[in-house]
Amino acid sequence: MTSGYRHITVLLDEAVEALAVRADGCYLDGTFGRGGHSRLILERLGPGGRLLGFDKDPQAIATGQALAAEDGRFVIVQRSFAELGDEVAARGLSGKLSGVLLDLGVSSPQLDDPERGFSFLNDGPLDMRMDPSRGISAADWIASASEDEIARVFKEYGEERFAKRMARAVVQRRTEKPFVRTADLAAVLSAANPAWEKGKNPATRAFQGLRIHVNNELGDLEQGLAAALEALEVGGRLVVISFHSLEDRIVKQFMRRQAKGEADNLPRDLPVRPAAFVPRLKLLGKPQYASEAETKANPRSRSAVMRVAEKLR
């Protein structure tokens, strides 16, 4: 099954350039999506190169399977990139990857298809799972979570300042009728938001928080970054594109911590610097953002931030 919804790959050329693709290298695209980055990587690989793609979304997997049938250098796996360490180990590739690319967030087809339940703009079933066959849907979670837990998710993951007020409204309404549609939840959240921001739907932040929680996006990111570091060969590149401040903060802190070593929390007069705290990453350049031309052509690229690092040991 494939989707007719169009996806525009963000920072396509910049990300693949940052990987410094070698013709005989072995690469991993941790968020295949509709294959924009993967196809460009394959163009730069030689006959001996390999590319492993990951995605949780069944529609992305269908697209990846079609690509794998066309190109024997490519393999697609339906797993979260948080599990890349296990998959790479099973394939005998631990410490052998030439590059890992993580393009975080939600794809345009997921947002645009009302049946996926990600959008507050188009009514659909309240699901939000990137892999609908696993985990608990947004509707089921909203029906069972406590008011405090809902408020925490809205505030911590959505950075919603009226989280408590919105959570209270959700809990009060669900006693009368369960939430099963995105438009219904969006209407209640909007009504509970006393300060609408110009140009932004008042349910935006709460929906973001709910989506992040349902898919464990930040937990997966932390696990995926650690696994990617171990999977890379010395000299291998780690390229990460994030789309909101919570993601970017995790990526930035991880890369900086690994670039500095982890001795910063030890006494400065310690006579011996433990080997475990020798830097493992080198930061490459400054964070990159979508160009003005790209943001005009694809407004969803406005918030994209790309960070690049190279493994030292």
Side-chain angles (χ1 to χ4, degrees):
M1 177 178 63
T2 58
S3 167
Y5 294 94
R6 182 167 175 254
H7 177 66
I8 303 174
T9 305
V10 174
L11 292 168
L12 173 60
D13 294 320
E14 293 88 343
V16 177
E17 284 293 332
L19 282 173
V21 178
R22 298 197 325 265
D24 62 346
C26 182
Y27 295 85
L28 188 148
D29 182 349
T31 45
F32 177 78
R34 293 303 181 267
H37 288 121
S38 284
R39 288 186 175 86
L40 188 53
I41 292 169
L42 288 168
E43 286 181 16
R44 302 190 181 190
L45 287 176
R50 297 173 67 185
L51 175 61
L52 183 62
F54 278 65
D55 212 294
K56 295 190 284 187
D57 190 306
Q59 293 179 358
I61 293 299
T63 302
Q65 289 171 338
L67 179 59
E70 298 171 5
D71 194 326
R73 300 170 300 170
F74 176 70
V75 174
I76 187 75
V77 178
Q78 188 170 8
R79 299 184 78 169
S80 166
F81 60 72
E83 303 170 312
L84 73 86
D86 293 339
E87 188 70 32
V88 166
R91 294 174 181 272
L93 295 173
S94 296
K96 298 179 181 179
L97 294 184
S98 310
V100 173
L101 170 63
L102 302 178
D103 179 5
L104 308 174
V106 185
S107 70
S108 293
Q110 289 170 330
L111 287 171
D112 295 338
D113 183 356
E115 293 305 306
R116 300 305 303 274
F118 286 98
S119 177
F120 43 79
L121 298 176
N122 301 302
D123 187 35
L126 185 59
D127 193 307
M128 292 194 184
R129 290 173 294 176
M130 293 181 183
D131 180 355
S133 69
R134 299 174 64 179
I136 183 172
S137 71
D140 288 341
W141 185 80
I142 281 287
S144 59
S146 69
E147 182 178 323
D148 286 346
E149 180 65 3
I150 294 171
R152 183 191 69 80
V153 165
F154 289 171
K155 181 177 178 60
E156 187 174 327
Y157 299 148
E159 300 178 293
E160 173 55 66
R161 59 189 174 126
F162 300 108
K164 289 185 177 180
R165 183 169 177 159
M166 289 175 149
R168 189 178 310 118
V170 166
V171 170
Q172 289 175 348
R173 216 311 296 279
R174 77 182 183 190
T175 61
E176 306 166 10
K177 177 184 174 184
F179 290 97
V180 295
R181 307 288 294 182
T182 57
D184 185 21
L185 177 61
V188 170
L189 292 172
S190 297
N193 188 329
W196 292 25
E197 299 175 53
K198 185 177 180 180
K200 177 174 286 191
N201 188 292
T204 299
R205 296 183 187 277
F207 261 67
Q208 173 184 292
L210 184 54
R211 188 205 80 220
I212 288 173
H213 175 75
V214 165
N215 292 287
N216 190 35
E217 292 178 32
L218 302 186
D220 278 7
L221 177 56
E222 291 175 342
Q223 293 178 51
L225 290 170
L229 180 57
E230 299 305 320
L232 285 168
E233 65 186 4
V234 172
R237 297 281 182 91
L238 174 60
V239 179
V240 187
I241 303 171
S242 58
F243 288 86
H244 59 74
S245 60
L246 298 176
E247 290 175 338
D248 185 53
R249 188 178 305 133
I250 290 172
V251 176
K252 178 173 64 176
Q253 290 176 350
F254 174 82
M255 288 186 172
R256 285 183 175 176
R257 190 165 61 246
Q258 296 298 334
K260 292 179 179 178
E262 296 182 344
D264 292 357
N265 59 348
L266 296 178
R268 292 185 177 275
D269 58 352
L270 193 70
V272 178
R273 186 179 177 87
F277 297 124
V278 174
R280 300 190 68 193
L281 285 178
K282 176 173 69 174
L283 305 182
L284 299 180
K286 296 181 179 180
Q288 294 186 49
Y289 305 88
S291 66
E292 183 178 351
E294 181 171 5
T295 57
K296 284 183 178 179
N298 179 18
R300 287 176 179 165
S301 69
R302 286 192 307 263
S303 57
V305 183
M306 184 175 76
R307 296 182 184 272
V308 186
E310 181 177 300
K311 184 171 177 177
L312 296 175
R313 69 176 185 92

